[in-house]
Amino acid sequence: MKGQGIVYIVGAGPGDPGLLTVRAWRILRRADVVFYDRLVSPGVLRRAAPEARRICVEKRDSVVDLSDLVSQMAREAQAGRVVVRLKGGDPFVFGRGAEEAEALVRAGVPCEVVPGVTSAVAVPAAAGIPVTHRGMARGFVVETAHRAGGETPVLATIPPEAGLTRVFLMVVATLETVVGQLLAQGYDPTTPAAVIEWGTTPAQRVWVAPLERIAPEARAGGVEAPAVLIVGPVVQLRGRLRVRPVRRRARA
Ligand code: SAH
């Protein structure tokens, strides 16, 4: 008989399989079952054991029932299997990873969290935008711009003088509202802003514009989720930093 199974709640990183952690990669190779979110990229899923069952738990228009999912995972673990719950970015940054962990612990299922590279920081970085920079931004604030049921998101009130870069996730549907609220908080309409879609993947697209122009620019380009919005002087650095991986030259 197989021993006690376990559920690993694993961060899949922002998209590029090269940004999986070594630990995530090792665990994926031992997986019997992988429950994954829609955003997890095919390249990351390919790192799972070939024989592992892969189950997408997020449909385009429906929210997964948390207790259903937790009982499915618990059943698999109780049958002695290695279960991987693969979530985009870091499992505890939005996306209800901690709720799932809590429910598993409550159900007495052995459970371990494997932190991941969050898109909030890595997507801007991979596009050449640092979230902090001496003399430009002394910190950053990450917020979700999503509100259930089409409600208007309420952003943190942070004066521009605080010198904090603002990063917004789940922002595509509410881009105009977010920009409007930032302007109302006193942000200069010319504050540099960027929208990055499918960051770190071959499909990556980036729009850079002054705050007052960023929404129409991104809309004109047909922006779609997943995308992050980043606002602050650090966006100007994009043109100055060479961040693309340099192809290694063959040894002579
Ligand atoms: N736990 C995840 C975030 C989940 S919320 C993390 O730590 O990254 C999902 C949101 O993340 C998306 O709506 C989008 O705003 C952002 N996101 C995730 N992957 C992204 C990517 N490759 N490019 C741009 N935004 C991304």
Side-chain angles (χ1 to χ4, degrees):
M1 205 188 104
K2 272 192 159 188
Q4 170 77 288
I6 183 167
V7 178
Y8 293 99
I9 301 185
V10 176
D16 177 353
L19 295 173
L20 266 174
T21 64
V22 173
R23 192 147 142 219
W25 184 65
R26 286 199 180 128
I27 289 168
L28 273 172
R29 295 203 335 180
R30 295 201 286 119
D32 294 309
V33 197
V34 181
F35 291 90
Y36 66 96
D37 286 349
R38 199 162 44 86
L39 269 186
V40 170
S41 72
V44 167
L45 273 177
R46 271 198 294 278
R47 264 62 183 179
E51 64 282 6
R53 263 180 298 139
R54 292 157 167 78
I55 302 168
C56 182
V57 296
E58 208 186 21
K59 308 281 173 266
R60 188 162 266 285
D61 293 313
S62 68
V63 181
V64 216
D65 183 73
L66 194 96
S67 61
D68 251 23
L69 171 60
V70 167
S71 35
Q72 276 187 63
M73 292 195 287
R75 252 199 319 275
E76 298 287 353
Q78 277 148 4
R81 300 194 180 99
V82 173
V83 179
V84 173
R85 175 68 178 106
L86 198 55
K87 301 187 75 75
D90 178 89
F92 284 179
V93 177
F94 308 129
R96 310 202 304 173
E99 287 172 54
E100 291 177 24
E102 221 183 351
L104 286 162
V105 170
R106 226 183 298 122
V109 178
C111 171
E112 195 180 309
V113 173
V114 180
V117 173
T118 182
S119 64
V121 174
V123 163
I129 302 169
V131 289
T132 70
H133 193 69
R134 197 148 58 94
M136 268 189 188
R138 52 193 306 277
F140 58 96
V141 176
V142 180
E143 288 172 77
T144 170
H146 174 79
R147 279 305 281 273
E151 284 172 58
T152 308
V154 178
L155 310 187
T157 307
I158 302 168
E161 307 79 67
L164 301 178
T165 301
R166 308 284 299 256
V167 180
F168 300 92
L169 269 56
M170 294 179 264
V171 71
V172 173
T174 54
L175 197 52
E176 288 77 4
T177 315
V178 169
V179 169
Q181 287 193 32
L182 292 176
L183 294 172
Q185 286 184 25
Y187 284 77
D188 194 293
T190 64
T191 309
V195 169
I196 306 157
E197 177 193 77
W198 286 114
T200 80
T201 77
Q204 172 175 298
R205 294 195 294 167
V206 183
W207 293 270
V208 175
L211 184 57
E212 63 182 345
R213 293 285 315 148
I214 192 66
E217 297 273 333
R219 292 281 180 229
V223 65
E224 279 184 30
V228 305
L229 166 68
I230 173 163
V231 178
V234 288
V235 173
Q236 294 163 53
L237 292 168
R238 174 171 157 75
R240 284 205 242 148
L241 300 175
R242 288 170 56 99
V243 292
R244 289 244 160 252
V246 181
R247 206 183 286 161
R248 219 178 283 163
R249 235 184 282 149
R251 292 250 175 95

